[in-house]
Amino acid sequence: METEAPSMENPKISAYYQTRLAHFGVVSTEWLAQAQSATNPNPPLPSSSTNSHTDKDTNFSVIDEFNRWRNHPDLAEAVAAIRALAAVISASKASTMMQLEIELKNASDTLKAWDTTSISLTAASDLFMRYVTRTSALEFEDFNSAKARLIERADKFGEISYKARKIIGMLSQDFIFDGCTILVHGFSRVVFEVLKLAAHNKKRFRVFCTEGRPDRTGLRLSNDLAKLDVPVKLVIDSAVAYTMDEVDLVLVGADGVVESGGIINMMGTYQIALVAKSMNKPVYVAAESYKFARHYPLDQKDLAPALRPVDFGVPIPSKVEVECSARDYTPPQYLTLLFTDLGVLTPSVVSDELIQLYL
């Protein structure tokens, strides 16, 4: 039975999670075709400077550019934001560095306002601004040379971000051993990349996929893994503790990695980590560095509300309150290692890496 994605104009649901639902939550012919294409090698993405709507007779919109990149089936939303900001530089009609930096700052703020609940979107926009504009030598060059340098740095940052998933896949292979059973939660592109590479390396392992309700993202991952001939079992979310004694390691993605070394991720990650910790099972996190965010939540209530629709399949009385929170916070003491494009990190090292990223 197919479930239609909610309208993008619904103000009660985070735009970020509406997008995730539209991409991952519907099992249909179109979805299966997209999943199939995702297992094939993708051609290199063109640079923002040569593939953007930068016609001088056309009014440039950073949101339109962002949406154009976001339609790429295998491109993370944060990378789409990076590509859109790079296009801002190419399309700019500014005549001074000050004007260009102001224009970039306004575009970054516009993207972050598009969905204030998206941790990775905010982090990627902030990191882009730091990476592209922090070279002091730009102050001593003529404007055209400075703009060309900015475009070069912007495209380089976009390429680094796009390749992050491949780097993480390679770094994580030593932790997946023959005969192991891996528990995953929901759908994460970078987690899928790790498992796909392990399968291509002829490693023998099996995967337990949580169902990932209410948007059923685990169904997509189980389908994609089955196409790779990886033994996979679909597990209902409430059976995590029941199956944990068969599990050798837990592997999850992250919407954001925060300053404490903890992660913000799909609802249910925290309780999985709690069960794993109590049963001495390692919990590994695969996350790109553009998801490193300057946040320090102390508990679950410190997170900005991010809502998603919940369909129980039966009418719910109006007097019954439904919990629609889309994500939770997992503290660092329940995580073992983070696989990132910066290297394999312990949670305690994340603060140091954040300082380096944002300097």
Side-chain angles (χ1 to χ4, degrees):
M1 180 172 140
E2 295 186 7
T3 305
E4 293 186 1
S7 167
M8 292 297 290
E9 298 179 356
N10 188 342
K12 295 183 178 180
I13 302 170
S14 160
Y16 173 60
Y17 285 98
Q18 289 189 56
T19 301
R20 285 183 62 85
L21 180 65
H23 285 179
F24 307 142
V26 179
V27 180
S28 63
T29 303
E30 292 77 15
W31 174 85
L32 289 173
Q34 185 185 57
Q36 178 65 44
S37 67
T39 65
N40 298 325
N42 289 315
L45 289 175
S47 70
S48 301
S49 58
T50 59
N51 194 43
S52 304
H53 301 306
T54 57
D55 191 325
K56 291 183 179 180
D57 297 327
T58 304
N59 290 327
F60 179 83
S61 166
V62 69
I63 295 297
D64 290 345
E65 185 72 7
F66 168 64
N67 285 329
R68 187 176 70 82
W69 282 103
R70 198 162 57 93
N71 287 332
H72 192 283
D74 201 37
L75 198 68
E77 190 172 80
V79 179
I82 290 167
R83 293 292 189 178
L85 288 172
V88 170
I89 303 174
S90 300
S92 174
K93 298 177 182 178
S95 57
T96 67
M97 280 302 300
M98 180 64 72
Q99 290 175 349
L100 183 54
E101 288 192 16
I102 290 173
E103 197 172 326
L104 262 180
K105 177 67 165 58
N106 290 338
S108 175
D109 290 344
T110 299
L111 282 176
K112 289 189 286 187
W114 180 81
D115 184 6
T116 57
T117 67
S118 176
I119 306 268
S120 61
L121 182 61
T122 297
S125 298
D126 289 343
L127 284 170
F128 177 90
M129 294 295 295
R130 296 297 303 154
Y131 183 87
V132 170
T133 63
R134 67 184 176 185
T135 305
S136 59
L138 293 178
E139 300 171 8
F140 305 101
E141 299 174 357
D142 66 273
F143 176 70
N144 289 333
S145 298
K147 183 176 179 180
R149 178 77 67 85
L150 283 180
I151 292 172
E152 180 184 341
R153 290 181 67 83
D155 281 338
K156 182 179 179 182
F157 188 66
E159 282 302 315
I160 291 171
S161 301
Y162 181 64
K163 294 175 181 177
R165 214 176 294 156
K166 301 289 185 183
I167 296 171
I168 294 169
M170 291 186 290
L171 290 175
S172 62
Q173 293 307 298
D174 288 342
F175 297 87
I176 299 177
F177 52 90
D178 279 340
C180 71
T181 298
I182 304 169
L183 175 67
V184 297
H185 183 49
F187 183 89
S188 162
R189 289 185 179 100
V190 67
V191 167
F192 178 64
E193 182 66 33
V194 170
L195 299 176
K196 181 172 71 171
L197 183 58
H200 287 171
N201 289 339
K202 308 299 182 182
K203 293 195 175 186
R204 294 176 289 107
F205 61 95
R206 62 174 178 161
V207 178
F208 288 175
C209 292
T210 60
E211 183 185 5
R213 282 186 57 83
D215 51 10
R216 304 182 302 170
T217 51
L219 295 178
R220 177 185 178 183
L221 185 57
S222 62
N223 273 277
D224 284 0
L225 291 173
K227 291 177 187 297
L228 298 176
D229 294 324
V230 173
V232 58
K233 178 190 283 188
L234 200 59
V235 177
I236 59 174
D237 295 337
S238 55
V240 167
Y242 176 81
T243 58
M244 189 61 76
D245 60 345
E246 299 181 59
V247 171
D248 294 298
L249 62 97
V250 175
L251 178 61
V252 297
D255 288 348
V257 179
V258 297
E259 291 181 74
S260 64
I263 63 168
I264 297 170
N265 195 40
M266 177 182 178
M267 181 63 72
T269 304
Y270 181 30
Q271 62 192 25
I272 291 174
L274 283 170
V275 173
K277 180 76 171 181
S278 70
M279 300 179 71
N280 295 315
K281 309 290 184 177
V283 178
Y284 300 134
V285 179
E288 303 90 330
S289 60
Y290 57 72
K291 293 181 178 178
F292 282 34
R294 299 176 74 178
H295 292 277
Y296 203 110
L298 298 177
D299 56 34
Q300 306 299 327
K301 305 307 178 185
D302 281 346
L303 304 181
L307 308 179
R308 65 181 176 187
V310 180
D311 181 10
F312 291 99
V314 294
I316 303 298
S318 59
K319 294 181 179 180
V320 175
E321 184 179 358
V322 176
E323 177 59 68
C324 296
S325 298
R327 62 195 182 193
D328 57 26
Y329 166 61
T330 304
Q333 61 265 33
Y334 301 107
L335 307 176
T336 308
L337 291 171
L338 290 90
F339 304 147
T340 80
D341 47 303
L342 303 176
V344 179
L345 311 177
T346 61
S348 60
V349 174
V350 169
S351 294
D352 295 336
E353 291 297 336
L354 270 166
I355 291 171
Q356 294 300 318
L357 285 171
Y358 282 96
L359 273 179

